[in-house]
Amino acid sequence: MASTSAQPAALSAEQAKVVLAEVIQAFSAPENAVRMDEARDNACNDMGKMLQFVLPVATQIQQEVIKAYGFSCDGEGVLKFARLVKSYEAQDPEIASLSGKLKALFLPPMTLPPHGPAPGGSIAAT
């Protein structure tokens, strides 16, 4: 009664590196680069809009790659892949690096607020 497609994908660290590299490469495919550029343009650097426009496109691009490795072709498959990668990050610096590159492809760069008071010694409320 249980189907083999319901089996969770189990990848070794080496296999996870290969899949991560393929996913990153998929983002540079011309058609996917155009899709991501359009989504980023629609998002206008607004985090809420990034979640609305960019994340779904990034998820679809990942799904297209990871389904060949036994992950379901839906959001749950991408989450399972992300959890698997996360589980290897602490053990393998190469996986951590690839994971960081992947995240940088669809998450905006985070700018930290300055620490301490503004130059001049006080914080002015305008």
Side-chain angles (χ1 to χ4, degrees):
M1 191 144 135
S3 70
T4 55
S5 63
Q7 288 283 80
L11 301 177
S12 69
E14 288 305 310
Q15 290 169 318
K17 287 179 201 176
V18 170
V19 179
L20 271 169
E22 284 186 30
V23 170
I24 291 167
Q25 187 176 359
F27 277 88
S28 62
E31 66 277 8
N32 290 335
V34 168
R35 290 168 63 197
M36 287 297 291
D37 286 343
E38 288 174 354
R40 282 189 199 99
D41 288 347
N42 287 333
C44 303
N45 270 344
D46 176 284
M47 185 53 86
K49 290 182 179 179
M50 293 293 275
L51 295 172
Q52 182 181 358
F53 296 112
V54 177
L55 194 59
V57 173
T59 299
Q60 290 169 356
I61 293 169
Q62 288 182 73
Q63 287 170 348
E64 292 163 9
V65 175
I66 66 173
K67 67 183 179 185
Y69 294 91
F71 292 91
S72 60
C73 193
D74 57 13
E76 185 62 30
V78 172
L79 290 174
K80 286 179 182 176
F81 177 66
R83 282 193 293 266
L84 178 75
V85 168
K86 188 78 175 157
S87 73
Y88 285 130
E89 282 180 359
Q91 312 162 32
D92 192 313
E94 188 178 349
I95 289 178
S97 173
L98 288 168
S99 178
K101 287 178 185 174
L102 176 59
K103 289 174 190 164
L105 291 171
F106 59 89
L107 292 176
M110 298 297 286
T111 54
L112 297 175
H115 294 287
S122 67
I123 301 174
T126 54

